[in-house]
Amino acid sequence: MVVPILSNDAARKLFLARHGLLDRPRAQDLTRLLDGLGFVQVDSVLTLARAHDMILWSRHPGYRPPDLQALVQERRAFEHWTHDAAVIPVEFWPHWRHRFDRDRQRLDRRWEAWHGPDFRAQLDRTLRHITDNGPVRSGDLADGPRREPGWWNWHPSKVALEYLWRVGELSVARRDAFQKVYDLTERVIPEAARAHRPDLAATIDWAACAALDRLGFATPGEIAAFWDLLTPAEAQAWAKGALERREVEEIRVEGADGSLRRVLARPRALEQAAALTNPGDRLRILSPFDPALRDRARAERLFGFRYRIEIFVPAAKRTYGYYVFPLLEGTRLVGRADLDSRGGALTLRALWPEAGVRWGKERTRRLMAELERVARFSDVARIDLRDGWLRQAP
């Protein structure tokens, strides 16, 4: 049997369309946008804008940072883990029940030995306090010094809050100054979501289908990794059954280097890709954690764009910079920029075009138009271009 081939150009268009980046940014309903993406990663780093805000603004120019927190506080979205901390439509919450159970089994084996014999008693004390007194931040319950400085050397109440959140007994009611505020899940998650108890088979089918529909095409491993709700074995078994039921088919996707890779897709995916129009040449500044770039290996195969975050790399050893922003032009990733919006200005320190990309006057014009849009979003008054900002690819 001949396995259909999805060309690299068509694959890029299909993938970007599923991630809301093929069409021009437009005003849209935020709940619907979040549902289409599946989730938005929450990240604390603030140089230009926080990752979740940048992701949503890139698709919805009317978006402003308070809007996402409003969804959480209105109980239309909840915060938990996918591959990382994320805000997720509340309708999906029932499928996280199995993750809660799995996290409980995994954390129980590790955290009691890690945090000592008082661990269980601290859980009970924390739950009683929140039941009686309402929502808390970790600082509200601080009751002892950390053992040593460091992210994972939390005080006991922080350990308890995070454990109870990970296993579903607590939920994030909101964030204050980016600090999580925890409350009992029954006071945060709507009753309709809590009343739904899908079995494991239903969650596997939902998670696999929902992942494939948002990716456009994927291997079982990529399907498992999308929500991080499934094991690789569960995704493999689902794929086998879906192929037998003809709910999916095998195709080959052409990478940026011309290589072909077998993946799964819906039966009409090639037709849908062929019907997509070219997106034009607008330049977009994307968050490093944009859903289209979250899977670094997939982005490299599809776009020929290798990206590694360098926050934790010593300054002298960085190839680019502390936190650089990928630049999307049409269906190509054409460069990356070192930007921040501190001190009342949007500052472009450096821009590195990708190898083979000529950076002339027209691209600079499109860049300036995007910087002006970003400046308005970041609420800064001016744009500062540092001398020698246009660099050569390393």
Side-chain angles (χ1 to χ4, degrees), residues 29-31 66-78 87-91 172-175 187-191:
D29 180 77
L30 185 57
T31 302
D67 297 345
L68 185 61
Q69 274 303 300
L71 282 191
V72 174
Q73 292 181 240
E74 293 163 5
R75 309 311 186 220
R76 290 188 283 162
F78 73 103
V87 173
I88 308 157
V90 77
E91 289 79 6
V172 175
R174 64 182 188 277
R175 282 185 180 252
R187 298 199 292 231
V188 176
I189 302 301
E191 183 179 359

Side-chain angles (χ1 to χ4, degrees), residues 171-187:
S171 292
V172 175
R174 64 182 188 277
R175 282 185 180 252
D176 289 344
F178 208 69
Q179 292 186 30
K180 291 198 286 282
V181 179
Y182 305 84
D183 200 356
L184 300 178
T185 290
E186 65 198 59
R187 298 199 292 231

Side-chain angles (χ1 to χ4, degrees), residues 247-375:
E247 295 171 358
V248 301
E249 64 179 5
E250 279 195 341
I251 65 171
R252 290 184 292 172
V253 171
E254 182 185 24
D257 62 358
S259 62
L260 297 176
R261 192 166 191 251
R262 282 187 180 247
V263 297
L264 301 174
R266 295 294 191 188
R268 296 187 59 248
L270 271 72
E271 296 173 40
Q272 292 167 351
L276 294 170
T277 58
N278 289 320
D281 56 7
R282 174 172 173 158
L283 196 70
R284 301 194 207 213
I285 296 170
L286 299 182
S287 164
F289 298 107
D290 194 279
L293 301 167
R294 178 190 66 80
D295 185 335
R296 308 293 192 208
R298 183 181 175 99
E300 190 167 350
R301 284 193 301 270
L302 197 57
F303 298 98
F305 185 80
R306 179 178 174 80
Y307 186 93
R308 298 294 183 270
I309 199 82
E310 295 186 290
I311 290 174
F312 305 111
V313 177
K317 295 184 178 181
R318 290 175 188 148
T319 303
Y320 297 102
Y322 174 79
Y323 194 87
V324 299
F325 294 82
L327 305 177
L328 177 69
E329 181 186 76
T331 62
R332 297 177 67 195
L333 287 158
V334 296
R336 59 198 86 198
D338 184 358
L339 289 160
D340 74 53
S341 59
R342 290 171 288 198
L346 176 60
T347 301
L348 174 62
R349 291 191 179 86
L351 186 152
W352 297 266
E354 287 295 283
V357 172
R358 182 179 176 276
W359 203 276
K361 291 182 179 179
E362 182 56 27
R363 275 205 171 98
T364 298
R365 183 193 66 77
R366 292 197 290 271
L367 171 66
M368 291 304 301
E370 179 72 349
L371 290 176
E372 289 171 3
R373 290 187 284 265
V374 172

